Amino acid sequence: MDSHTGLPVVGMVGGGQLARMTHQAAIPLGQSLRVLAQSPDDGAALVATDVVIGEHTSYDDLLAFAAGCDVLTFDHEQVPNELIRALAAEGYAVRPGADALVHAQDKAVMREALDRAGIPGPAWSEVSTVDDVASFGDEQGWPVVLKVARGGYDGRGVWFLPDAAAAADILQPDHAYIVEQRVPILRELAALVARSPFGQVSVWPIVETVQHDGICVEVIAPAPDLSEELAGQGAMLAVRLADALGVVGVMAVELFETADGLLVNELAMRPHNSGHWTIEGARTSQFEQHLRAVLDYPLGTTTMTAPWVVMANVLGGPDGGMGIDERVHHSMAQWPDVKLHLYGKSPRPGRKLGHVTTLGSDLTEVRARASAAAAYLREGGDP
Amino acid sequence: MDSHTGLPVVGMVGGGQLARMTHQAAIPLGQSLRVLAQSPDDGAALVATDVVIGEHTSYDDLLAFAAGCDVLTFDHEQVPNELIRALAAEGYAVRPGADALVHAQDKAVMREALDRAGIPGPAWSEVSTVDDVASFGDEQGWPVVLKVARGGYDGRGVWFLPDAAAAADILQPDHAYIVEQRVPILRELAALVARSPFGQVSVWPIVETVQHDGICVEVIAPAPDLSEELAGQGAMLAVRLADALGVVGVMAVELFETADGLLVNELAMRPHNSGHWTIEGARTSQFEQHLRAVLDYPLGTTTMTAPWVVMANVLGGPDGGMGIDERVHHSMAQWPDVKLHLYGKSPRPGRKLGHVTTLGSDLTEVRARASAAAAYLREGGDP
């Protein structure tokens, strides 16, 4: 409890853009997010008051950080599960807890839980040898998707294998892997859900996510031309999953839309890139909702604020060209209604430096505006 | 220029709720507001990284603070004008500058400028003696309004005088005063405008402000039943005034609506309580716009995001009752779509602790929701 404000203190482990935007959402709630960052240059460390520098893999650092917090939560899934378990055993309120978070940390555990809950996903199997991959591929058909079970992120740790031989160069004896059937997909969708310890659950409309090279570049809310039936199924699936896994906070369920319906691709148990559009596009943003959930406050309304909302990521472009300040200047002149979000990062090709959000009633125009502004803001790219 | 982000650094003198909400708006612009606060417990100091503790009346403190900034701006008008002038003479970019800001610091200077610009206000006069007050009142009619020329705030430094004798207990030889005709008003309105050094100007819709005991308690956007003619006049008046005074940043023009049209009551040259509704209620909030203006970025769209937006201030109530955390909890359950803004202040009766914003298409319902939530949140009051 903060003695000055009379409000509980939320600590977020990880100081990236998700913590940065969570701090932004914390301010109106009377909060000041406590952040465990790796460096004073981390996006959240640049904007928050209560920053502790430390390693999320060090139990000593986590314990020292936790001491100032009423609730602990995360901006990524990289804290070892056994350390989360140990913090909870010390009496700290950790949300989501280790038993829930493991499903976003270990793809084999996640696939098993989905199977138990009867929630559809691609065929899958744990594998550790080329022979394991070969027998799965021969049964399910080639190509297959090989994934590192723990630690993958943004397309890293994922390989498309045309045959079993291709696995030979990838498989390492000290890593766990799963292999999945490569399903023919129509497009990628995401269902965003929040759940509080009290058990209240809320969902936002299902969105379409557009990826390039495994990185999300655009999110369209709501997913265009999604049948009411699939939209309802996606929402119900997210709610059932949040309940079944005991999630607290925001969970993003990445989905494949296929000719046979929806399949779960991945889970993230934190605010997620597919939900950045909610900052301006929904009455309650995913960042505010995550805070409400981990504080066990009642959840906010998730109604959209416009018929169409589009988010486009601003990625780092090739070096050179005008500086970011000049690009911001010109983009604001060109698009006075585009909402800009910069994460305080030094530019590097392909790095997510920020995002833009557009809103309106004409989807084609709203999409075009978002991608034009995002393309313009690419550091060093051509205007 | 911040070497890490490549963006200019904005310093705000004053660490209250306006700086707090400006920091919130700075985060998505890639900024981290540098704040000169009087105490580490100031609202903005509780949430910003780059906080300097110092006095806004000390030139040494101001100079040390300015050294880390590309642009200086203010969350209040209490910095002595000569110190602002001295900072500018040292080469610092101070926005708004001393020549503009003086109009929000000295009511006599403001009234003279309005008269020169042909912008209507109540009849007025500088006064220093009871005789001065008597001759003004006898000419214009009683009662009259006596105001301290410099340093008044939120109803402090304003007196309604039934006769000249009442001035005797108020007038101090070391203060400057003006006296104004007490005009019969229909209601109070406010025009909010922003201007950049480049000269770009933008306005939000004219709002109605509801005051109790000289403190703004409710703002309705747009002002209900305002004729198109008066709405246009109010906007033009604000634009002309911003231009005439050379304002940079946000300026609030407090207006009286009278049977004979609009009169200017007061000016504030910073984000203002009458503009808090813009955080959710306009495409660009007054805080983002203030930053864009002082950074000389192009200004953002001021379109409203809903037909009606109402802001109600949350004031401190009598001591006792349940704590703020419990009140927040219950208010969120009751009104999941009310947007809460707490300023991190310790409660004290009558103190502005925060505000709530509601949006919708039915004005009666939107107003009722805002005032019910604000009343509930009054610290210590009855639920």
Side-chain angles (χ1 to χ4, degrees), chain A residues 262-350:
Chain A
L262 301 177
L263 302 178
V264 173
N265 177 28
E266 303 279 358
L267 298 183
M269 238 170 254
R270 51 171 168 80
H272 187 253
N273 201 165
S274 66
H276 291 354
W277 66 272
T278 58
I279 297 176
E280 293 91 2
R283 190 57 64 222
T284 307
S285 79
Q286 65 168 344
F287 300 102
E288 178 182 341
Q289 200 79 305
H290 187 75
L291 286 167
R292 290 166 80 129
V294 303
L295 285 161
D296 204 6
Y297 284 163
L299 302 180
T301 308
T302 54
T303 323
M304 289 186 65
T305 61
W308 294 105
V309 182
V310 173
M311 188 243 34
N313 278 329
V314 176
L315 303 177
D319 285 338
M322 63 177 88
I324 186 69
D325 185 48
E326 197 172 347
R327 277 175 187 278
V328 167
H329 197 116
H330 291 314
S331 74
M332 283 182 172
Q334 185 67 25
W335 300 283
D337 48 1
V338 166
K339 301 319 290 179
L340 176 66
H341 296 263
L342 291 176
Y343 305 153
K345 293 183 185 177
S346 311
R348 201 163 62 203

Side-chain angles (χ1 to χ4, degrees), chain B residues 171-194:
Chain B
L171 295 170
Q172 308 283 331
D174 55 344
H175 279 65
Y177 298 88
I178 67 166
V179 67
E180 293 175 0
Q181 174 192 21
R182 179 150 195 201
V183 288
I185 69 170
L186 301 172
R187 58 176 168 173
E188 297 195 40
L189 305 173
L192 199 69
V193 59

Side-chain angles (χ1 to χ4, degrees), chain A residues 149-364:
Chain A
R150 289 184 291 274
Y153 182 71
D154 258 0
R156 279 167 279 173
V158 176
W159 302 267
F160 296 94
L161 305 186
D163 50 42
D169 294 339
I170 297 166
L171 295 169
Q172 307 284 330
D174 54 345
H175 280 66
Y177 298 88
I178 67 165
V179 67
E180 294 175 358
Q181 174 191 22
R182 178 151 196 200
V183 288
I185 69 169
L186 301 172
R187 58 175 168 172
E188 298 195 39
L189 305 173
L192 200 69
V193 60
R195 184 176 174 277
S196 72
F198 183 75
Q200 192 189 1
V201 179
S202 81
V203 289
W204 289 265
I206 306 284
V207 299
E208 178 174 344
T209 62
V210 182
Q211 335 275 329
H212 284 172
D213 303 325
I215 293 179
C216 171
V217 293
E218 188 189 19
V219 173
I220 308 165
D225 303 318
L226 186 66
S227 72
E228 234 176 273
E229 193 194 342
L230 282 188
Q233 280 177 18
M236 275 311 297
L237 177 159
V239 169
R240 275 177 54 211
L241 204 49
D243 248 348
L245 305 183
V247 174
V248 173
V250 164
M251 175 172 69
V253 185
E254 297 182 33
L255 297 164
F256 291 142
E257 183 180 355
T258 74
D260 301 323
L262 301 177
L263 302 178
V264 173
N265 177 28
E266 303 279 358
L267 298 183
M269 238 170 254
R270 51 171 168 80
H272 187 253
N273 201 165
S274 66
H276 291 354
W277 66 272
T278 58
I279 297 176
E280 293 91 2
R283 190 57 64 222
T284 307
S285 79
Q286 65 168 344
F287 300 102
E288 178 182 341
Q289 200 79 305
H290 187 75
L291 286 167
R292 290 166 80 129
V294 303
L295 285 161
D296 204 6
Y297 284 163
L299 302 180
T301 308
T302 54
T303 323
M304 289 186 65
T305 61
W308 294 105
V309 182
V310 173
M311 188 243 34
N313 278 329
V314 176
L315 303 177
D319 285 338
M322 63 177 88
I324 186 69
D325 185 48
E326 197 172 347
R327 277 175 187 278
V328 167
H329 197 116
H330 291 314
S331 74
M332 283 182 172
Q334 185 67 25
W335 300 283
D337 48 1
V338 166
K339 301 319 290 179
L340 176 66
H341 296 263
L342 291 176
Y343 305 153
K345 293 183 185 177
S346 311
R348 201 163 62 203
R351 195 179 197 197
K352 285 181 194 168
L353 302 179
H355 73 268
V356 293
T357 305
T358 56
L359 303 92
S361 50
D362 175 342
L363 175 58
T364 308

Side-chain angles (χ1 to χ4, degrees), chain A residues 28 32 46 48-49 297 325 329 342, chain B residues 28 32 46 48-49 296-297 325 342:
Chain A
S32 186
L46 295 171
T49 307
Y297 284 163
D325 185 48
H329 197 116
L342 291 176
Chain B
S32 186
L46 295 171
T49 308
D296 204 6
Y297 283 162
D325 185 48
L342 291 177

Side-chain angles (χ1 to χ4, degrees), chain A residues 97-108:
Chain A
D99 289 342
L101 201 60
V102 68
H103 299 93
Q105 297 182 307
D106 187 313
K107 295 186 203 304

